[in-house]
Amino acid sequence: MKIDSLSVGPIGTNCYILQEEQAKLCAVIDPGDEAGRIVRAVENTGCTPVMLLLTHGHFDHFTAVGELLERWPDLPVYINEKDTTGKAGGGFDLLFPRLPEKNQRYYKDADKLNLGGLTIEVLETPGHSRGSVCLVVGDVIFSGDTLFYGSCGRTDFAGGSYEDILRSLKKLAQLPGQYRVYPGHDRPTDLDFERRVNPYVKQGLRG
């Protein structure tokens, strides 16, 4: 397993390219903007992209999806259905507009996707949005905007809930073992560090 990271768009969203090197396959996680950069990064891996994965439906995590589908028109795009809408709206809390049937896929808690020899497990972690998910691959968590280095995602957008995000942080913290955490913004971290010092994780565990 190899992970490449790009910071894209005006607010520095982390887009990840998850690679299964033996099978030469990859998944693009949260292609938030700058599709051209993402395409070049994917091509530089030497891997074939087989899926786009969204941790939630805010625009800064999906803006490049349309252009990536122009380059790879048959890619499935996965999101939790709670973060989709049938029509475009406006503002930061714009939910993901549904795609044509050939591309649109939905995942929910405990679903598993295969990327070559890798298994991607879906954990529903609402709070930042109703349909937020984390993706667990081996000893790695792609946490979207649920868990950040020393912090957590804001909950004041439509569909957000502070009580829900505390429950989601507790769910993550109670996973057995140690994990490397790749968040939707800012630097990577690890779960043991967040268990020890993150005030929101600590509050969640007390709940």
Side-chain angles (χ1 to χ4, degrees), residues 173 178 190-199 201-202 205:
Q178 167 69 309
D190 65 68
L191 199 54
D192 276 349
F193 176 83
E194 301 304 324
R195 290 170 177 137
R196 290 196 312 271
V197 307
N198 190 314
V201 172
K202 289 182 175 182
L205 286 169

Side-chain angles (χ1 to χ4, degrees), residues 23-75:
K24 294 192 177 302
L25 302 175
C26 68
V28 179
I29 300 172
D30 285 348
D33 206 347
E34 301 182 66
R37 280 184 63 208
I38 297 172
V39 168
R40 290 190 295 272
V42 169
E43 291 175 342
N44 286 340
T45 69
C47 295
T48 300
V50 294
M51 63 184 84
L52 305 181
L53 307 177
L54 304 181
T55 60
H56 62 289
H58 289 160
F59 80 93
D60 59 315
H61 291 254
F62 73 71
T63 295
V65 166
E67 290 181 72
L68 294 183
L69 291 179
E70 291 177 7
R71 174 66 179 81
W72 297 295
D74 295 324
L75 284 184

Side-chain angles (χ1 to χ4, degrees), residues 2 13 16 19 21 25-26 30 34 58 76 81 90 114 131 134-135 148 156 163 165 169 174 182-183 185 191 200 207:
K2 183 180 178 184
T13 300
Y16 298 106
Q19 301 151 61
E21 296 172 284
L25 302 175
C26 68
D30 285 348
E34 301 182 66
H58 289 160
E81 192 169 9
N114 293 320
C134 292
L135 304 171
F148 296 138
D156 57 334
E163 292 75 17
I165 207 167
L169 293 171
Q174 290 182 331
Y182 290 88
H185 301 273
L191 199 54
Y200 302 99

Side-chain angles (χ1 to χ4, degrees), residues 169-189:
L169 293 171
K170 179 178 182 178
K171 181 177 183 176
L172 292 176
Q174 290 182 331
L175 292 173
Q178 167 69 309
Y179 290 83
R180 188 71 171 153
V181 178
Y182 290 88
H185 301 273
D186 202 8
R187 72 184 86 172
T189 183

Side-chain angles (χ1 to χ4, degrees), residues 89-164:
F92 187 91
D93 58 349
L94 169 64
L95 296 177
F96 184 69
R98 295 177 194 267
L99 296 169
E101 187 174 342
K102 73 171 185 174
N103 301 112
Q104 187 70 72
R105 302 287 187 279
Y106 301 112
Y107 45 30
K108 62 184 183 304
D109 199 60
D111 280 352
K112 294 181 179 180
L113 305 175
N114 293 320
L115 180 66
L118 298 177
T119 299
I120 303 168
E121 183 174 359
V122 180
L123 298 181
E124 289 192 17
T125 52
H128 178 66
S129 68
R130 290 188 184 92
S132 285
V133 304
C134 292
L135 304 171
V136 180
V137 189
D139 62 354
V140 165
I141 300 172
F142 296 97
S143 63
D145 286 3
T146 298
L147 175 62
F148 296 138
Y149 175 86
S151 188
C152 68
R154 58 191 293 180
T155 59
D156 57 334
F157 298 125
S161 165
Y162 188 68
E163 292 75 17
D164 283 349

